[in-house]
Amino acid sequence: MSTKKTTKTTAKTAATKTTAATTPPAKSAAKKTAAPAKKAAAAKKAPAPAKKAAAAKKAPAAKKATAPAANKAPAAKKPPESHAALVRRARRINRELADVYSYAHPELDFENPFELLVATVLSAQTTDLRVNQTTPRLFAKYPTPEDLAAAVPEEVEELIRPTGFFRAKTKSIMGLAKALRDDFGGEVPGRIDDLVKLPGVGRKTAFVVLGNAFGVPGITVDTHFGRLVRRWKWTEETDPVKVETAVAALFPKSEWTMLSHRVIFHGRRICHSRKPACGACPIAPLCPSYGEGETDPEKAKKLLKYEMGGFPGQRLKPPPDYPGKPAPPLAAG
């Protein structure tokens, strides 16, 4: 009996071991079978490499686009300049220019109001230098309004040909000479209302004559003056009469004539139309348009004109305090 029981017990034990030994491999096989299936399913769900790359590219772009908008505060707007501040800045610019151009003067050669009037009319659409090179022969032949009024037009045209538009200019200067002879006793009037009635004479020409021949204050708005006062934000007006009115309100009347000379001097020598010499500008700290031109000091120096650049000026007979060289006559120019 005991032998039989022992035999049965041994058999059961062996069977149990056999089952235990064989069961794990079956489960392991099932796990191995299931693993590839899960990987395949995961592979189906996962995006293709190209899609992953596209998604990766889009993500940084989205961050870059949204991050600055979230972090960057809106730029504070600069408050507009008050009228009082504008007056202070404009007058300071004028003082600075007075130091730089203490010798500022009308750049047309003349001996009397008649010569200045004719020279100013001839200066339209040409340089003062060209006018100064042309008028000596003209005034040598026609020194008075009466002489010019009685001239032969073709002869006058030939004399003033170098100034350009010589036919139209001949008509203007002979017309104003006749008006001076017939209406003003051969004298140039000292009132703007009378001057602007003369052929070829506008407000700009009238103020040149009044300010420099009669000592009557006036603002001369030429292309240089208009360009600079807009760059300095003294006004945004483009019409010469409106520019004149706006600028006149910033300065005492006693400054008008010399202010005009200084601004025009600066426009011809430093603050040029196409390429201002910002790096050589004495009023750069006061200029809201600084940087429109060349800011490198050495390069800017090469842009300076007339006496500022070491070259002759525009007058053949400059005033005694002029620091530059006189302009050459027409034959030498």
Side-chain angles (χ1 to χ4, degrees):
M1 285 292 293
S2 64
T3 305
K4 286 181 182 180
K5 283 180 181 180
T6 303
T7 305
K8 284 180 182 179
T9 301
T10 303
K12 283 179 181 180
T13 302
T16 302
K17 286 181 179 179
T18 303
T19 305
T22 56
T23 300
K27 287 181 179 178
S28 178
K31 283 182 181 179
K32 285 180 181 178
T33 307
K38 286 182 180 179
K39 285 182 180 179
K44 285 181 182 178
K45 290 180 180 179
K51 291 182 180 178
K52 281 184 180 179
K57 285 181 181 178
K58 285 181 182 177
K63 285 182 182 177
K64 285 180 181 177
T66 55
N71 299 331
K72 190 176 180 182
K77 288 184 178 180
K78 189 176 180 181
E81 187 176 35
S82 68
H83 181 73
L86 171 60
V87 170
R88 286 194 298 270
R89 184 170 62 84
R91 293 186 179 186
R92 187 178 172 189
I93 288 176
N94 183 40
R95 290 194 299 271
E96 295 288 339
L97 293 179
D99 289 339
V100 177
Y101 306 111
S102 58
Y103 53 89
H105 58 271
E107 294 192 90
L108 290 168
D109 287 327
F110 69 98
E111 299 292 337
N112 53 60
F114 171 65
E115 288 188 0
L116 179 58
L117 177 60
V118 171
T120 306
V121 172
L122 293 178
S123 69
Q125 296 179 294
T126 190
T127 63
D128 287 357
L129 170 60
R130 183 61 71 192
V131 174
N132 292 336
Q133 291 172 328
T134 303
T135 51
R137 290 191 301 161
L138 177 70
F139 295 141
K141 191 167 185 177
Y142 310 111
T144 67
E146 291 82 1
D147 294 324
L148 184 57
V152 176
E154 290 75 16
E155 293 179 1
V156 176
E157 288 177 3
E158 193 59 33
L159 286 172
I160 68 169
R161 183 183 289 269
T163 67
F165 303 96
F166 56 91
R167 291 190 179 88
K169 289 180 179 180
T170 294
K171 185 177 180 181
S172 292
I173 64 174
M174 288 190 67
L176 70 83
K178 289 174 182 176
L180 293 176
R181 180 195 63 190
D182 299 340
D183 302 332
F184 298 98
E187 300 291 331
V188 176
R191 296 176 61 251
I192 188 169
D193 291 342
D194 294 328
L195 284 169
V196 294
K197 293 177 183 177
L198 300 172
V201 178
R203 289 181 69 84
K204 182 191 85 169
T205 298
F207 280 128
V208 169
V209 174
L210 289 174
N212 298 289
F214 293 98
V216 177
I219 292 177
T220 303
V221 182
D222 69 351
T223 55
H224 302 289
F225 191 95
R227 178 178 73 252
L228 267 62
V229 299
R230 284 188 288 274
R231 279 182 177 167
W232 295 335
K233 310 301 181 188
W234 290 2
T235 181
E236 294 181 356
E237 299 291 350
T238 56
D239 178 75
V241 176
K242 292 181 179 179
V243 170
E244 176 194 323
T245 302
V247 175
L250 304 177
F251 298 92
K253 196 171 183 179
S254 59
E255 285 290 315
W256 289 355
T257 299
M258 288 309 300
L259 170 71
S260 300
H261 289 322
R262 294 164 191 153
V263 174
I264 292 170
F265 257 59
H266 192 62
R268 286 174 171 168
R269 285 149 179 78
I270 295 178
C271 196
H272 311 134
S273 176
R274 294 185 181 178
K275 200 170 185 181
C278 294
C281 181
I283 60 166
L286 300 171
C287 181
S289 299
Y290 175 80
E292 282 189 13
E294 180 57 66
T295 56
D296 180 84
E298 292 305 315
K299 292 180 180 178
K301 283 181 183 177
K302 296 178 181 178
L303 300 174
L304 301 179
K305 294 183 179 179
Y306 302 112
E307 73 280 356
M308 301 294 285
F311 303 108
Q314 298 205 75
R315 292 189 69 166
L316 277 65
K317 298 177 181 178
D321 61 342
Y322 178 64
K325 304 172 186 176
L330 186 60

